[in-house]
Amino acid sequence: MNTDELLRQYDNGERDFVLANLSDACLTERCLAAINLSQSHLANANLSGSNLQRANLSAAVLTKATLWRSNLTSASLMSANLNEANLIRATLTGIEGNGASLRKADLRLANLQGANLSQVNLVGADLRYANLTGINLTGANLSRANLTGANLSHADLRGVTLTQAIFENTDISDVSLVDVDLSQVDLRHAIVNYCTHRN
């Protein structure tokens, strides 16, 4: 299916595009709210500025996709592959992304407030100045992730892996760090009001 056909069908009320092949597609500044693209191939696709609120992207392949400034509020990204995706300034509030892979993804200035990213792979991800307030990252892997300037206040980091993660001016106020190994993490320059930690 090409992009023109997808947009024509979407405009006619169709929302179910499971297993679509849209690799390298250009879908910038489009309204695709509530679209079902689960298990679809969107590698290298450009979805910058698009409205993907409540979209189903579970188990979709979005490697190196561009989602700059896209609105993914309340979308499902469960088990999706977003390795090396560009999510700069994306709105990801309230997403269900447990089990997704965001290895080396660029999430600078993204809004992930209240997102569920339990068991997510964020190894080497760039989360500088991201809003991670109240996020669920239980069991996630943030090894070598850059959290400079990010707001992690009230986040749930139980059982998270933080090996060599960067916490420069990162707000970790009221964060749960139960069962977290901090032996390879430098929190000296993090903003800490109160956090719970048991190793």
Side-chain angles (χ1 to χ4, degrees):
M1 174 181 292
N2 61 37
T3 55
D4 290 339
E5 179 62 17
L6 179 142
L7 293 170
R8 185 188 66 78
Q9 291 187 31
Y10 183 89
D11 289 342
N12 287 331
E14 181 62 53
R15 295 294 181 267
D16 194 353
F17 299 95
V18 176
L19 292 169
N21 186 354
L22 295 163
S23 297
D24 302 306
C26 183
L27 291 162
T28 59
E29 305 289 343
R30 298 288 184 175
C31 179
L32 299 169
I35 195 169
N36 182 2
L37 287 167
S38 62
Q39 303 178 69
S40 293
H41 287 266
L42 292 140
N44 299 300
N46 189 346
L47 293 140
S48 295
S50 289
N51 179 358
L52 291 158
Q53 295 182 73
R54 304 180 311 283
N56 184 353
L57 293 163
S58 56
V61 177
L62 289 142
T63 51
K64 297 184 178 180
T66 301
L67 292 140
W68 175 69
R69 288 193 312 102
S70 293
N71 186 349
L72 290 125
T73 301
S74 300
S76 174
L77 292 165
M78 293 186 293
S79 300
N81 184 342
L82 289 128
N83 292 339
E84 300 183 61
N86 178 349
L87 290 146
I88 298 171
R89 293 187 181 275
T91 301
L92 298 148
T93 52
I95 64 166
E96 287 292 332
N98 49 303
S101 184
L102 289 135
R103 183 174 52 83
K104 294 185 178 180
D106 194 339
L107 289 143
R108 284 174 292 166
L109 298 163
N111 186 352
L112 292 114
Q113 185 172 7
N116 178 11
L117 291 180
S118 61
Q119 307 297 323
V120 162
N121 180 355
L122 282 158
V123 173
D126 192 343
L127 290 149
R128 284 177 288 172
Y129 303 100
N131 181 357
L132 306 169
T133 308
I135 193 172
N136 176 6
L137 285 165
T138 54
N141 189 343
L142 283 92
S143 297
R144 300 186 300 281
N146 190 342
L147 292 144
T148 297
N151 186 349
L152 271 163
S153 59
H154 304 285
D156 191 344
L157 300 180
R158 288 175 296 169
V160 73
T161 301
L162 294 172
T163 306
Q164 297 179 8
I166 300 170
F167 281 86
E168 186 74 24
N169 295 318
T170 306
D171 189 343
I172 56 171
S173 303
D174 299 304
V175 166
S176 175
L177 289 167
V178 174
D179 297 324
V180 175
D181 182 359
L182 297 173
S183 62
Q184 297 187 60
V185 184
D186 186 353
L187 295 177
R188 288 177 297 174
H189 301 291
I191 301 167
V192 185
N193 288 331
Y194 174 81
C195 64
T196 303
H197 171 238
R198 184 181 71 243
N199 195 351

